[in-house]
Amino acid sequence: MATIAGISGNQYIPGTKVYDDVKYQYATSTYGKERDLNPALIVQPKTKEDIVLTLKYAKEKKVAVAIKTGGHQYSGASSTSAPNIQLDLETSFRGVDDRAIFEKDGKAYARTSVSWSLGEFNAWLTENKLFVPHGQCTEVHIGGHVQTGGYGQLARSFGLFGDHVLSLEIVDTDGNFKEVTKATDPDLFWAFLGGSPGNLGVITHFTLQVHRDQDYNGSRGMKALYFYDTKTLKRLIDILVEMSDNDDFPRNYDLCISVLSSAFPLLDLWPDLDEWMARAHPELYGKDGLIAWPRTIIVYAQWVPFEPGDVCDFSWFDRIKEGSDRILGDNDVEEKPMSQLTGDWIFRNVREFEHPYVKRTYTTNSRTLAKDRWADWVVNRIDAIVRPEHNRCWLSAQLQCFGGKNSMFTRNAGNGTAYSWRDTSIGCTMDCFHSEETKDRAEDWQKVNDEEAIGPNGIFSKDDRRVLWGSYGNWNLDAVWNTYFEDREKYEKLQQIRKRADPYGIFTPNPFCVKRAD
């Protein structure tokens, strides 16, 4: 494919090393061969006008455009194959006018472009003593993040990143610049936020309400490390389940548990950990002075006040930190501004392990996980892949409480966004990375998880409930729509909106999208 005349930004065609570097994204390691992620042309626009020219060209040539901001989509949906085009916005809008903070009537707001990484966005807000709920991966860019929800450690207390959006600035299929709000186009606003990411138009900027540290004085958090053992893991998951099964649990608390195989880059979670490890556990260091990072459990626990009379229950933290090997900071439970706590939760690396993966993210609305002995089951399943030495499989698991009638994740249902499964009690991510030789082992392990955890007799969820940011399995979204959306009525509404927003098929670059209505 030839380059597009008039584009002021970079353009890359296949056959060059630069193209190979630019096309790479998180999913390449797993789906680079199985799914053709080789666009005929990659355009890195400098301006909105470059986007207009790209869409006009695509319409004339009857090809589609995939939209990428950070390239972290696990299934590869931010890429495409020839003769289609990839529109790469990662460096497009990073000028002084592409983000701003303002206050009105005692509330704070931020206007930002999609071209900032989560780590950059978090640091910017922290500098201004502001915060918003968001995810954990530093190199995720906020354009895709906002469309798939922005799940993170503050989900119970503050809801999703996308719940805070007030307006979207887009380039539509005909090259028009539009601002989309609940008032101007409620259906399109709804569909952009949780409907069919990247398939409705090109978001360049958005405005959202953010929170001020000064309004939440006394917030506290704890990041604790434990060397892996099943007894400790079971005790911690029991606390998570107790919290999840209790529909009245206060909004003030968030809890997330990670389980990581050996060789995980722990310094990206804990920059000062190496110094402490050298003193406390010299046996982990080889003759060359390099550490063999052990299997670990990491816990993120947080409390935030919402009313003047809110009092932190320190016994909750005490139960969690029992037996921990390392607590972040000088105190077990640090009193810190919320903006700084959100930075503590970030994982500061591009990916967990430098290997392909078999991904799973499950959600459930069960309130009987303790009765059903799910904690026993999930500990046994985790141990089956983490315990064996030298099995050439590496686990990154994360279990988090989302639910309860006081949870803002739950209460934000019906707020004008389309994010699914607002009745979720627990989310469970279990990603199994593997070598080329152990792919079957990883797939077999996940197959047992699928069979035992999900379905009419499933110990975790009676229904298959997936999330767009953690997609896996069948890449044809239309064939598995019911795993991502609650009901047919919702899906058909999204189909009609897709038909209106994408009449020429420009934003249909691969099968992972809501199918346009006929």
Side-chain angles (χ1 to χ4, degrees):
M1 177 181 284
T3 56
I4 302 171
I7 297 286
S8 61
N10 297 322
Q11 301 184 67
Y12 303 99
I13 58 175
T16 64
K17 184 180 185 306
V18 177
Y19 170 88
D20 290 337
D21 291 341
V22 173
K23 77 169 184 176
Y24 182 85
Q25 54 183 28
Y26 193 101
T28 302
S29 64
T30 298
Y31 297 114
K33 295 179 180 178
E34 176 185 336
R35 296 169 185 170
D36 187 350
L37 306 178
N38 300 284
L41 176 67
I42 300 174
V43 178
Q44 293 179 329
K46 279 188 177 180
T47 64
K48 291 183 179 180
E49 287 71 23
D50 282 353
I51 296 173
V52 173
L53 287 173
T54 303
L55 299 182
K56 180 181 178 182
Y57 181 88
K59 189 191 303 183
E60 291 172 352
K61 299 296 183 180
K62 293 181 169 53
V63 298
V65 176
I67 305 166
K68 166 182 173 279
T69 56
H72 209 275
Q73 212 286 327
Y74 292 114
S75 296
S78 55
S79 189
T80 188
S81 58
N84 298 327
I85 300 168
Q86 183 184 66
L87 193 64
D88 182 356
L89 306 179
E90 186 168 354
T91 60
S92 299
F93 304 108
R94 298 175 60 86
V96 293
D97 295 329
D98 288 311
R99 60 184 186 182
I101 290 167
F102 58 97
E103 289 201 15
K104 182 179 180 181
D105 300 328
K107 294 182 179 180
Y109 303 88
R111 176 185 180 268
T112 178
S113 80
V114 298
S115 300
W116 305 102
S117 73
L118 202 55
E120 292 170 324
F121 182 74
N122 173 271
W124 174 59
L125 288 184
T126 301
E127 289 172 7
N128 291 277
K129 299 181 180 180
L130 301 169
F131 69 96
V132 72
H134 58 62
Q136 188 181 26
C137 298
T138 189
E139 286 301 319
V140 166
H141 279 54
I142 60 177
H145 197 54
V146 73
Q147 293 180 74
T148 55
Y151 287 65
Q153 267 75 2
L154 281 65
R156 284 194 80 256
S157 51
F158 290 95
L160 299 177
F161 183 54
D163 289 335
H164 292 69
V165 172
L166 301 176
S167 71
L168 304 165
E169 297 169 43
I170 74 164
V171 182
D172 73 8
T173 187
D174 291 313
N176 301 311
F177 303 155
K178 290 183 176 179
E179 183 177 16
V180 180
T181 70
K182 292 180 192 178
T184 61
D185 194 333
D187 282 352
L188 190 58
F189 183 86
W190 174 79
F192 259 113
L193 300 177
S196 193
N199 309 127
L200 298 159
V202 184
I203 301 178
T204 63
H205 299 75
F206 57 94
T207 299
L208 69 167
Q209 184 177 349
V210 294
H211 301 280
R212 306 182 302 180
D213 282 343
Q214 69 192 60
D215 297 325
Y216 303 94
N217 289 324
S219 54
R220 299 174 182 273
M222 180 182 74
K223 183 158 68 173
L225 177 148
Y226 312 75
F227 292 134
Y228 174 84
D229 72 74
T230 54
K231 183 178 179 181
T232 298
L233 182 59
K234 172 63 163 57
R235 183 181 64 78
L236 292 169
I237 295 178
D238 279 342
I239 295 172
L240 185 77
V241 167
E242 179 184 305
M243 179 179 179
S244 173
D245 281 354
N246 181 359
D247 200 41
D248 295 316
F249 206 90
R251 170 190 172 188
N252 313 71
Y253 298 86
D254 286 279
L255 179 60
C256 179
I257 301 168
S258 292
V259 184
L260 306 166
S261 289
S262 57
F264 182 87
L266 286 170
L267 290 180
D268 295 315
L269 282 175
W270 232 302
D272 67 341
L273 188 60
D274 195 31
E275 181 182 344
W276 175 81
M277 279 284 199
R279 294 195 312 268
H281 294 281
E283 74 278 5
L284 297 175
Y285 290 77
K287 294 180 180 179
D288 55 5
L290 298 177
I291 188 171
W293 291 111
R295 298 166 294 189
T296 53
I297 303 166
I298 310 289
V299 169
Y300 309 85
Q302 173 189 285
W303 178 86
V304 57
F306 293 104
E307 303 292 340
D310 286 352
V311 177
C312 178
D313 180 1
F314 283 96
S315 66
W316 182 74
F317 284 102
D318 289 340
R319 290 179 63 202
I320 294 168
K321 72 183 182 184
E322 178 186 330
S324 61
D325 292 277
R326 172 67 168 158
I327 304 286
L328 178 67
D330 298 327
N331 301 303
D332 287 350
V333 184
E334 287 197 299
E335 182 174 337
K336 264 189 178 181
M338 284 299 300
S339 63
Q340 294 180 29
L341 283 174
T342 59
D344 287 344
W345 306 152
I346 287 180
F347 169 57
R348 301 188 182 279
N349 203 332
V350 176
R351 59 190 297 141
E352 298 85 346
F353 298 99
E354 293 296 328
H355 298 282
Y357 51 86
V358 182
K359 180 167 188 60
R360 291 295 185 273
T361 294
Y362 308 122
T363 72
T364 184
N365 61 356
S366 172
R367 294 294 189 276
T368 60
L369 291 176
K371 175 184 174 184
D372 298 335
R373 300 180 64 83
W374 172 73
D376 294 286
W377 177 87
V378 75
V379 168
N380 288 334
R381 294 305 303 151
I382 288 172
D383 197 56
I385 204 70
V386 171
R387 175 69 61 183
E389 297 284 353
H390 312 301
N391 70 348
R392 306 293 294 166
C393 285
W394 300 269
L395 180 69
S396 176
Q398 197 162 58
L399 293 71
Q400 183 174 351
C401 181
F402 287 93
K405 67 183 182 183
N406 298 311
S407 162
M408 290 308 298
F409 178 87
T410 304
R411 290 164 58 184
N412 281 334
N415 68 346
T417 65
Y419 306 120
S420 294
W421 314 121
R422 290 287 195 168
D423 61 344
T424 293
S425 53
I426 281 185
C428 176
T429 293
M430 296 200 292
D431 297 343
C432 189
F433 294 76
H434 58 84
S435 67
E436 290 185 10
E437 297 78 19
T438 59
K439 181 179 180 180
D440 287 347
R441 181 179 297 157
E443 289 182 337
D444 289 345
W445 180 75
Q446 294 286 28
K447 183 179 179 181
V448 173
N449 296 339
D450 293 341
E451 291 172 348
E452 296 182 357
I454 309 299
N457 298 315
I459 195 169
F460 186 61
S461 177
K462 305 306 178 187
D463 300 299
D464 190 344
R465 299 155 48 105
R466 307 181 193 180
V467 288
L468 292 168
W469 64 265
S471 58
Y472 67 89
N474 195 331
W475 207 29
N476 183 351
L477 182 58
D478 189 59
V480 289
W481 67 265
N482 58 307
T483 65
Y484 292 97
F485 305 104
E486 293 91 339
D487 53 57
R488 188 70 192 179
E489 181 181 2
K490 178 177 181 177
Y491 186 67
E492 290 180 354
K493 180 179 178 180
L494 287 167
Q495 288 185 298
Q496 292 294 334
I497 296 169
R498 277 269 291 126
K499 179 181 179 181
R500 172 165 67 91
D502 186 25
Y504 318 113
I506 291 176
F507 300 122
T508 311
N510 54 57
F512 197 74
C513 57
V514 171
K515 184 179 179 182
R516 292 178 298 158
D518 297 329

